[in-house]
Structures are given as C-alpha cells and as structure tokens.
Amino acid sequence: MFRGSMVALVTPMKADTSIDWQALHDLVDWHLEQGTHGIVAVGTTGESPTLAIDEHIDVIRRVVDQVAGRVPVIAGTGANSTTEAVELTKAAKDVGVDACLLVTPYYNKPSQDGLYQHYAHVAQTVDIPQILYNVPSRTAVDLKPQTVGRLSRYPNIIGIKEATGDLARLTHLKPLVVPGFILLSGDDETAFDFLKHGGHGEISVTANVAPAQVARMCDLIADGELEAAKSIHDALMPLHKSLFLEANPIPVKWVLEQMGKCESTLRLPLTRLDPKFQRAVKEAMQRCRLM
C-alpha cells in the first residue's frame, strides 16, 4: 500500500499566511492526475511546526476527504513532545488517514532508549499504522538501525522514512527489521539507488513540482527498468539539488509560485527564497522543463 512516489505536500498559504484552501485542493487534484502514489499531509515540508493543531488537523481532514481513498494519505503527526505526538496521531486517526508519519523528537536530543520509549508509547496508545521518520540533519538526533529494529516488532510500526541520504543505512536496516517492514527514502538525490537496492518507495520533496516524473521513475524501478528510471533520476538531479539551496520548503514553494500553483508564502521564521538563489533555482527549472 505504501510504495512508489509519495509527495511530502506543501501547505499553500496566502499573503497574510492563512492557509490557501483552494490552492491546496488544486494541488491534491493535480497530484492525483499526475500519478502520485500517495500524499503526506502536514509533514515537515508542510510546515507542521508553525501550524496550530486545529489547522494541522483541518488540512489532513480536507486532504483525506478529497482523495477519498484513491491513494493512501499519510499524516505528519510527529512532535518533540510525546504527549503532543499522541494527541496529533489520535486526531489524524479520527479523520481517517491511512497511516501517520512521526519525525524524531527534535531539539531534545533524546537517547536511543528515549527514542524507543517515545515511539513505543505512541504505538501502544494509538492503534493506527505508524511510520518512523529519521532526518538527523534537521532534528539533531539520529534514530539508529538497532533502535529501528526493536521498534519494528510493534505490529503497527510498519516502516521508516530514512532521510540521512546514507545508502549504507539500507544495508544495516534490512537484517534488523521484521519481514514486510517498509523502507522509504526521504532523500531525493539518493532515492534511485535506495529503491534499486530494495527500498519500497520515497517520500519526496521534488514530487511537489515534478510529480509525474518521480512517479514514473518509481514505477520503472518496480518493473525492473533501471536504465530508464535512472535517466529520469539524472534529469531531475539539478532540481533535487536546487530545492535544498535554502531550508526546505523555502525553494519548493518558490518553484510552485513560478509554476502558478500557489504563492511562495511561508510562516516565520521561514522567509521567501533569497534572491541570490533564485537564478540557480530557475535554471534548474528550465533544465527540468518546468517552465
């Protein structure tokens, strides 16, 4: 069920930073038309840290209602407070998501035992499929493979989004997790190799702006058409790189604005893409035929 290209969907906002519900609706429709295999609503790319809890759940509800079961919807429900993560996960379950994605508790820098207890508590408290999310470059804590292996024994902890970009992690994880545990890339630059070596899919930032290409690459890998898949991956590489010239989702929202999909508005402390990066991002867009 959770495979292929799953977009880490942005949360579009108007100039006054209120949520742009029409743009959100149009983006979801576009992804369904373009072949995206799944949608992650209000993950970290969706600016979850700056959305109020009622906004957070409202975005998830609207995406679930609009998708209407056509593709899986995963809700970002991670927090650096275990209590808040439980609250968000319960609320996401109530509005009908297929699974929840829980980023490691950021800033706190818990030990591996603290991480284990955090995820175990959420899994024991809320009966819904849950996906771990490891992105140490943003959270300052690394969920080690041995801890993932222990957590994979919980029936409703079904997979991990691994965003270190370290392909060796895949090799380390495979023998430690239970059979059927889902391995998802969270790094567009290395996603092709991750999937080629046995990953099941990716949660992608690039899919926000090139959904058909990323979905096609994933389909080709699943069909064993590696050469064709690699050609798509290589063609998208300028975009993969340019979308991280500043902190995500600053560049991807700017690209969406250039494409006429939504405004590039973000909530503070994030700000619009610095003009010094705009030329490089625009050149990547041109090379990838997005404009």
Side-chain angles (χ1 to χ4, degrees), residues 168-241:
R169 278 296 173 99
L170 190 61
T171 304
H172 295 151
L173 284 166
K174 281 183 175 181
L176 296 172
V177 298
V178 300
F181 193 75
I182 300 165
L183 301 169
L184 303 172
S185 170
D187 179 68
D188 281 301
E189 285 193 42
T190 58
F192 168 78
D193 288 306
F194 189 97
L195 271 64
K196 182 178 74 172
H197 292 294
H200 301 100
E202 65 166 317
I203 295 177
S204 170
V205 173
T206 300
N208 275 285
V209 297
Q213 297 93 315
V214 178
R216 179 63 176 155
M217 183 196 75
C218 292
D219 285 338
L220 287 167
I221 295 171
D223 292 339
E225 301 287 343
L226 298 182
E227 186 174 340
K230 190 173 189 304
S231 69
I232 295 173
H233 173 72
D234 291 346
L236 289 174
M237 188 58 73
L239 202 55
H240 296 331
K241 291 182 177 296

Coordinates of all heavy atoms in Angstrom, one line a residue, residues 168-241:
A168 N 24.2 3.2 3.0 CA 24.6 2.1 3.8 C 23.5 1.8 4.9 O 23.5 0.7 5.4 CB 25.9 2.4 4.5
R169 N 22.7 2.8 5.2 CA 21.6 2.6 6.2 C 20.7 1.5 5.8 O 20.2 0.7 6.6 CB 20.8 3.9 6.4 CG 21.5 4.8 7.4 CD 21.5 4.2 8.8 NE 22.3 5.0 9.7 CZ 21.8 5.9 10.6 NH1 20.5 6.0 10.6 NH2 22.5 6.6 11.4
L170 N 20.4 1.4 4.5 CA 19.5 0.4 3.9 C 20.1 -1.0 4.2 O 19.4 -1.9 4.6 CB 19.3 0.6 2.4 CG 18.2 -0.2 1.7 CD1 16.9 0.1 2.3 CD2 18.2 0.1 0.2
T171 N 21.4 -1.1 4.0 CA 22.0 -2.4 4.2 C 22.0 -2.8 5.7 O 21.8 -3.9 6.1 CB 23.5 -2.4 3.8 OG1 23.5 -2.0 2.4 CG2 24.2 -3.7 3.9
H172 N 22.2 -1.8 6.6 CA 22.2 -2.0 8.0 C 20.8 -2.3 8.5 O 20.6 -3.1 9.5 CB 22.7 -0.8 8.8 CG 24.2 -0.5 8.5 ND1 24.7 0.7 8.5 CD2 25.2 -1.4 8.1 CE1 26.0 0.7 8.2 NE2 26.3 -0.6 7.9
L173 N 19.8 -1.7 7.9 CA 18.4 -1.9 8.4 C 17.8 -3.2 8.1 O 17.1 -3.9 8.9 CB 17.5 -0.8 7.9 CG 17.6 0.6 8.5 CD1 16.9 1.6 7.6 CD2 17.0 0.6 9.9
K174 N 18.0 -3.7 6.9 CA 17.4 -4.9 6.3 C 17.4 -6.1 7.3 O 16.4 -6.7 7.5 CB 17.9 -5.2 5.0 CG 17.3 -4.4 3.9 CD 17.9 -4.9 2.5 CE 17.2 -4.1 1.4 NZ 17.7 -4.6 0.1
P175 N 18.6 -6.5 7.8 CA 18.6 -7.7 8.7 C 18.1 -7.4 10.1 O 17.9 -8.4 10.8 CB 20.1 -8.0 8.7 CG 20.8 -6.7 8.5 CD 20.0 -5.9 7.5
L176 N 17.8 -6.2 10.4 CA 17.4 -5.9 11.8 C 15.9 -5.8 11.9 O 15.3 -5.9 13.0 CB 18.0 -4.6 12.3 CG 19.6 -4.6 12.4 CD1 20.1 -3.2 12.7 CD2 20.0 -5.6 13.5
V177 N 15.2 -5.5 10.8 CA 13.7 -5.2 10.9 C 13.0 -6.5 10.6 O 13.5 -7.4 9.9 CB 13.3 -4.1 10.0 CG1 14.0 -2.8 10.4 CG2 13.6 -4.4 8.5
V178 N 11.7 -6.5 11.0 CA 10.9 -7.7 10.7 C 10.5 -7.8 9.2 O 10.5 -6.8 8.5 CB 9.6 -7.7 11.6 CG1 9.9 -7.7 13.0 CG2 8.7 -6.5 11.2
P179 N 10.2 -9.0 8.7 CA 9.8 -9.1 7.3 C 8.6 -8.2 7.0 O 7.7 -8.1 7.8 CB 9.4 -10.6 7.2 CG 10.3 -11.3 8.3 CD 10.3 -10.3 9.4
G180 N 8.6 -7.6 5.9 CA 7.5 -6.8 5.5 C 7.6 -5.3 6.0 O 6.7 -4.5 5.6
F181 N 8.6 -5.0 6.7 CA 8.8 -3.6 7.2 C 9.1 -2.7 6.0 O 10.0 -3.1 5.2 CB 9.9 -3.6 8.2 CG 10.0 -2.3 9.0 CD1 9.1 -2.0 10.0 CD2 11.1 -1.4 8.8 CE1 9.3 -0.9 10.8 CE2 11.2 -0.2 9.5 CZ 10.3 0.0 10.5
I182 N 8.5 -1.6 5.9 CA 8.5 -0.7 4.7 C 9.7 0.2 4.8 O 9.8 1.0 5.8 CB 7.2 0.0 4.5 CG1 6.1 -1.0 4.3 CG2 7.3 1.0 3.3 CD1 4.7 -0.3 4.5
L183 N 10.5 0.3 3.8 CA 11.7 1.1 3.8 C 11.5 2.2 2.8 O 11.5 1.9 1.6 CB 13.0 0.3 3.5 CG 13.2 -0.8 4.5 CD1 14.3 -1.8 4.0 CD2 13.6 -0.3 5.9
L184 N 11.4 3.5 3.2 CA 11.2 4.6 2.3 C 12.3 5.6 2.4 O 12.8 5.9 3.4 CB 9.9 5.3 2.8 CG 8.6 4.5 2.8 CD1 7.5 5.2 3.5 CD2 8.2 4.0 1.4
S185 N 12.7 6.0 1.2 CA 13.8 7.1 1.1 C 13.1 8.4 1.4 O 12.0 8.7 1.0 CB 14.4 7.1 -0.3 OG 15.2 8.3 -0.4
G186 N 13.9 9.3 2.2 CA 13.4 10.6 2.4 C 14.4 11.6 1.8 O 14.5 12.8 2.2
D187 N 15.2 11.1 0.8 CA 16.3 12.0 0.2 C 16.2 11.8 -1.3 O 16.6 10.8 -1.8 CB 17.6 11.6 0.8 CG 18.8 12.4 0.2 OD1 18.8 13.6 0.4 OD2 19.6 11.8 -0.6
D188 N 15.7 12.8 -2.0 CA 15.5 12.7 -3.4 C 16.8 12.4 -4.2 O 16.8 11.7 -5.2 CB 14.9 14.0 -4.0 CG 13.4 14.1 -3.8 OD1 12.7 13.2 -4.2 OD2 13.0 15.1 -3.1
E189 N 17.9 13.0 -3.8 CA 19.2 12.8 -4.5 C 19.6 11.3 -4.5 O 20.2 10.9 -5.5 CB 20.3 13.6 -3.9 CG 20.2 15.1 -4.2 CD 21.5 15.9 -3.9 OE1 22.6 15.3 -4.2 OE2 21.4 17.0 -3.3
T190 N 19.3 10.6 -3.5 CA 19.8 9.2 -3.4 C 18.6 8.2 -3.6 O 18.8 7.0 -3.4 CB 20.5 8.9 -2.1 OG1 19.6 9.2 -1.0 CG2 21.8 9.8 -2.0
A191 N 17.4 8.7 -3.9 CA 16.3 7.8 -3.9 C 16.4 6.7 -4.9 O 16.0 5.6 -4.7 CB 15.0 8.6 -4.1
F192 N 16.9 7.0 -6.1 CA 17.0 6.0 -7.1 C 17.8 4.8 -6.6 O 17.4 3.6 -6.8 CB 17.7 6.5 -8.4 CG 18.1 5.5 -9.4 CD1 17.1 4.9 -10.2 CD2 19.4 5.0 -9.5 CE1 17.5 3.9 -11.1 CE2 19.8 4.0 -10.4 CZ 18.8 3.4 -11.2
D193 N 19.0 5.0 -6.1 CA 19.8 3.9 -5.5 C 19.1 3.2 -4.4 O 19.3 2.0 -4.2 CB 21.2 4.4 -5.1 CG 22.0 4.8 -6.4 OD1 22.2 4.0 -7.2 OD2 22.5 6.0 -6.4
F194 N 18.5 4.0 -3.5 CA 17.7 3.4 -2.4 C 16.7 2.4 -2.9 O 16.6 1.3 -2.4 CB 17.1 4.5 -1.6 CG 16.5 4.1 -0.3 CD1 17.2 4.3 0.9 CD2 15.2 3.6 -0.2 CE1 16.7 4.0 2.1 CE2 14.7 3.3 1.0 CZ 15.4 3.4 2.2
L195 N 15.9 2.8 -3.9 CA 14.9 1.9 -4.4 C 15.5 0.7 -5.2 O 15.0 -0.4 -5.1 CB 13.9 2.7 -5.3 CG 12.7 3.3 -4.6 CD1 13.1 4.4 -3.6 CD2 11.7 3.9 -5.6
K196 N 16.6 1.0 -5.9 CA 17.2 0.0 -6.7 C 17.7 -1.1 -5.8 O 17.7 -2.3 -6.2 CB 18.4 0.6 -7.5 CG 19.1 -0.4 -8.4 CD 20.2 0.3 -9.2 CE 21.4 0.6 -8.3 NZ 22.6 1.1 -9.1
H197 N 18.1 -0.8 -4.6 CA 18.7 -1.8 -3.7 C 17.7 -2.3 -2.7 O 18.1 -2.9 -1.7 CB 19.9 -1.2 -3.0 CG 21.1 -0.9 -3.9 ND1 21.8 -2.0 -4.5 CD2 21.7 0.2 -4.3 CE1 22.8 -1.5 -5.2 NE2 22.7 -0.1 -5.1
G198 N 16.4 -2.1 -3.0 CA 15.4 -2.8 -2.2 C 14.5 -1.9 -1.4 O 13.6 -2.5 -0.7
G199 N 14.6 -0.6 -1.5 CA 13.6 0.3 -0.9 C 12.3 0.1 -1.6 O 12.2 -0.3 -2.7
H200 N 11.2 0.5 -0.8 CA 9.9 0.3 -1.4 C 9.3 1.6 -2.0 O 8.3 1.5 -2.7 CB 9.0 -0.2 -0.2 CG 9.4 -1.5 0.4 ND1 10.1 -1.5 1.6 CD2 9.3 -2.7 0.0 CE1 10.4 -2.8 1.9 NE2 9.9 -3.5 0.9
G201 N 9.9 2.7 -1.7 CA 9.3 4.0 -2.2 C 10.1 5.1 -1.6 O 11.1 5.0 -0.9
E202 N 9.6 6.3 -1.9 CA 10.2 7.5 -1.4 C 9.1 8.6 -1.0 O 8.1 8.6 -1.7 CB 11.2 8.2 -2.4 CG 10.6 8.7 -3.6 CD 11.6 9.6 -4.4 OE1 12.2 10.4 -3.7 OE2 11.6 9.5 -5.6
I203 N 9.4 9.3 0.0 CA 8.6 10.5 0.4 C 9.4 11.7 -0.1 O 10.4 12.0 0.4 CB 8.3 10.5 1.9 CG1 7.4 9.3 2.3 CG2 7.6 11.8 2.3 CD1 7.1 9.2 3.7
S204 N 8.8 12.3 -1.1 CA 9.6 13.2 -2.0 C 9.2 14.7 -1.9 O 8.1 15.0 -1.9 CB 9.5 12.7 -3.4 OG 10.0 13.6 -4.3
V205 N 10.3 15.5 -1.8 CA 10.0 17.0 -1.9 C 9.9 17.3 -3.4 O 9.0 18.1 -3.8 CB 11.2 17.7 -1.3 CG1 11.1 19.2 -1.6 CG2 11.2 17.5 0.2
T206 N 10.8 16.8 -4.3 CA 10.8 17.1 -5.7 C 9.4 16.7 -6.3 O 9.0 17.4 -7.3 CB 11.9 16.3 -6.4 OG1 13.2 16.7 -5.9 CG2 11.9 16.6 -7.9
A207 N 8.7 15.7 -5.8 CA 7.4 15.4 -6.4 C 6.4 16.5 -6.3 O 5.4 16.5 -7.0 CB 6.9 14.1 -5.7
N208 N 6.6 17.5 -5.4 CA 5.8 18.6 -5.3 C 5.7 19.4 -6.7 O 4.6 19.9 -7.0 CB 6.2 19.6 -4.3 CG 5.7 19.3 -2.9 OD1 4.6 19.5 -2.6 ND2 6.6 18.8 -2.1
V209 N 6.8 19.4 -7.4 CA 6.9 20.1 -8.6 C 7.1 19.3 -9.9 O 6.8 19.8 -11.0 CB 8.0 21.2 -8.5 CG1 7.7 22.2 -7.4 CG2 9.4 20.6 -8.3
A210 N 7.4 18.0 -9.7 CA 7.6 17.1 -10.9 C 7.0 15.8 -10.5 O 7.6 14.7 -10.5 CB 9.1 16.9 -11.2
P211 N 5.7 15.8 -10.2 CA 5.0 14.5 -9.7 C 5.0 13.4 -10.7 O 5.3 12.2 -10.4 CB 3.6 15.0 -9.4 CG 3.4 16.2 -10.2 CD 4.7 16.9 -10.3
A212 N 4.8 13.7 -12.0 CA 4.7 12.6 -13.0 C 6.1 11.9 -13.2 O 6.2 10.7 -13.3 CB 4.2 13.2 -14.3
Q213 N 7.1 12.8 -13.2 CA 8.5 12.2 -13.4 C 8.9 11.3 -12.2 O 9.4 10.2 -12.4 CB 9.5 13.3 -13.6 CG 9.2 14.2 -14.8 CD 8.4 15.4 -14.6 OE1 7.4 15.4 -13.9 NE2 8.8 16.6 -15.1
V214 N 8.7 11.8 -11.0 CA 9.1 11.0 -9.8 C 8.3 9.7 -9.8 O 8.8 8.6 -9.5 CB 8.9 11.8 -8.5 CG1 9.3 10.9 -7.3 CG2 9.8 13.0 -8.6
A215 N 7.0 9.8 -10.0 CA 6.1 8.6 -10.0 C 6.6 7.6 -11.1 O 6.6 6.4 -10.9 CB 4.7 9.0 -10.2
R216 N 6.9 8.1 -12.3 CA 7.3 7.3 -13.4 C 8.6 6.6 -13.0 O 8.8 5.4 -13.3 CB 7.5 8.1 -14.6 CG 7.9 7.3 -15.9 CD 7.0 6.2 -16.3 NE 7.4 5.6 -17.5 CZ 7.0 4.3 -17.9 NH1 6.2 3.6 -17.1 NH2 7.4 3.8 -19.0
M217 N 9.5 7.3 -12.4 CA 10.8 6.7 -12.0 C 10.6 5.5 -11.1 O 11.1 4.4 -11.2 CB 11.7 7.7 -11.3 CG 13.1 7.2 -11.0 SD 14.0 8.2 -9.8 CE 13.1 7.9 -8.3
C218 N 9.7 5.7 -10.1 CA 9.4 4.7 -9.1 C 8.8 3.5 -9.8 O 9.1 2.3 -9.5 CB 8.5 5.2 -8.0 SG 9.3 6.4 -6.9
D219 N 7.8 3.7 -10.7 CA 7.2 2.6 -11.4 C 8.2 1.8 -12.2 O 8.1 0.6 -12.3 CB 6.1 3.1 -12.3 CG 4.8 3.6 -11.6 OD1 4.6 3.1 -10.4 OD2 4.1 4.4 -12.1
L220 N 9.1 2.5 -12.9 CA 10.1 1.8 -13.7 C 11.0 1.0 -12.9 O 11.4 -0.2 -13.3 CB 10.9 2.9 -14.5 CG 10.2 3.5 -15.7 CD1 11.0 4.7 -16.2 CD2 10.0 2.5 -16.8
I221 N 11.4 1.5 -11.7 CA 12.3 0.7 -10.8 C 11.5 -0.6 -10.4 O 12.1 -1.7 -10.4 CB 12.7 1.5 -9.6 CG1 13.6 2.6 -10.1 CG2 13.5 0.6 -8.6 CD1 14.0 3.6 -8.9
A222 N 10.2 -0.4 -10.0 CA 9.4 -1.6 -9.6 C 9.3 -2.6 -10.7 O 9.2 -3.8 -10.5 CB 8.1 -1.1 -9.2
D223 N 9.4 -2.2 -12.0 CA 9.2 -3.1 -13.1 C 10.6 -3.6 -13.6 O 10.7 -4.3 -14.6 CB 8.5 -2.3 -14.3 CG 7.1 -2.1 -14.0 OD1 6.5 -2.7 -13.2 OD2 6.5 -1.2 -14.7
G224 N 11.7 -3.2 -12.9 CA 13.0 -3.6 -13.3 C 13.6 -2.9 -14.5 O 14.7 -3.3 -15.0
E225 N 13.0 -1.8 -14.9 CA 13.5 -0.9 -16.0 C 14.5 0.1 -15.4 O 14.2 1.3 -15.4 CB 12.4 -0.3 -16.7 CG 11.4 -1.3 -17.3 CD 11.9 -2.0 -18.5 OE1 12.9 -1.5 -19.1 OE2 11.3 -3.0 -18.9
L226 N 15.6 -0.4 -14.9 CA 16.5 0.5 -14.2 C 17.2 1.6 -15.0 O 17.4 2.7 -14.6 CB 17.6 -0.3 -13.5 CG 17.1 -1.3 -12.4 CD1 18.2 -2.0 -11.8 CD2 16.2 -0.6 -11.4
E227 N 17.5 1.3 -16.3 CA 18.2 2.2 -17.1 C 17.2 3.4 -17.4 O 17.6 4.6 -17.3 CB 18.6 1.6 -18.4 CG 19.4 2.5 -19.3 CD 20.0 1.8 -20.5 OE1 20.1 0.6 -20.5 OE2 20.3 2.5 -21.5
A228 N 16.0 3.1 -17.7 CA 15.0 4.2 -18.0 C 14.8 5.0 -16.7 O 14.6 6.2 -16.8 CB 13.7 3.6 -18.5
A229 N 14.7 4.3 -15.6 CA 14.5 5.0 -14.3 C 15.6 5.9 -14.0 O 15.4 7.1 -13.6 CB 14.2 4.0 -13.2
K230 N 16.8 5.5 -14.3 CA 18.0 6.3 -13.9 C 18.1 7.5 -14.8 O 18.5 8.6 -14.4 CB 19.3 5.5 -14.1 CG 20.5 6.2 -13.5 CD 21.8 5.4 -13.5 CE 22.9 6.1 -12.8 NZ 23.2 7.4 -13.3
S231 N 17.6 7.4 -16.1 CA 17.6 8.6 -16.9 C 16.7 9.7 -16.4 O 17.0 10.9 -16.5 CB 17.2 8.2 -18.4 OG 15.8 7.8 -18.4
I232 N 15.6 9.3 -15.8 CA 14.7 10.3 -15.2 C 15.3 10.9 -14.0 O 15.3 12.1 -13.8 CB 13.3 9.6 -14.8 CG1 12.6 9.2 -16.1 CG2 12.5 10.6 -14.0 CD1 11.3 8.4 -15.8
H233 N 15.9 10.0 -13.1 CA 16.6 10.5 -11.9 C 17.7 11.5 -12.3 O 17.8 12.5 -11.6 CB 17.2 9.3 -11.2 CG 18.0 9.6 -10.0 ND1 17.5 10.1 -8.8 CD2 19.4 9.6 -9.8 CE1 18.5 10.4 -8.0 NE2 19.6 10.0 -8.5
D234 N 18.5 11.1 -13.2 CA 19.6 12.0 -13.6 C 19.1 13.3 -14.2 O 19.7 14.4 -13.9 CB 20.5 11.3 -14.7 CG 21.3 10.1 -14.1 OD1 21.3 10.0 -12.9 OD2 21.8 9.3 -14.9
A235 N 18.0 13.3 -14.9 CA 17.4 14.5 -15.5 C 16.9 15.4 -14.4 O 16.9 16.7 -14.5 CB 16.3 14.2 -16.5
L236 N 16.4 14.8 -13.3 CA 15.9 15.6 -12.2 C 16.9 16.1 -11.2 O 16.6 16.9 -10.3 CB 14.8 14.8 -11.4 CG 13.5 14.6 -12.2 CD1 12.6 13.6 -11.3 CD2 12.8 15.9 -12.4
M237 N 18.2 15.6 -11.3 CA 19.2 15.9 -10.3 C 19.4 17.5 -10.1 O 19.5 17.9 -8.9 CB 20.5 15.3 -10.7 CG 21.6 15.4 -9.6 SD 21.1 14.7 -8.0 CE 21.2 13.0 -8.3
P238 N 19.4 18.3 -11.1 CA 19.5 19.7 -10.9 C 18.4 20.3 -10.0 O 18.6 21.1 -9.1 CB 19.4 20.4 -12.3 CG 19.8 19.3 -13.2 CD 19.4 18.0 -12.6
L239 N 17.2 19.7 -10.1 CA 16.1 20.1 -9.3 C 16.3 19.6 -7.9 O 16.1 20.4 -6.9 CB 14.8 19.6 -9.9 CG 13.5 20.3 -9.5 CD1 13.5 21.7 -9.8 CD2 12.3 19.6 -10.3
H240 N 16.7 18.3 -7.7 CA 16.9 17.8 -6.4 C 17.9 18.7 -5.6 O 17.7 19.0 -4.4 CB 17.5 16.4 -6.5 CG 16.7 15.4 -7.1 ND1 15.3 15.4 -7.1 CD2 17.0 14.2 -7.8 CE1 14.8 14.3 -7.7 NE2 15.8 13.6 -8.1
K241 N 18.9 19.1 -6.3 CA 20.0 19.9 -5.6 C 19.5 21.3 -5.3 O 19.7 21.9 -4.2 CB 21.2 20.0 -6.4 CG 22.0 18.6 -6.5 CD 23.2 18.8 -7.3 CE 24.0 17.4 -7.4 NZ 24.5 17.0 -6.0

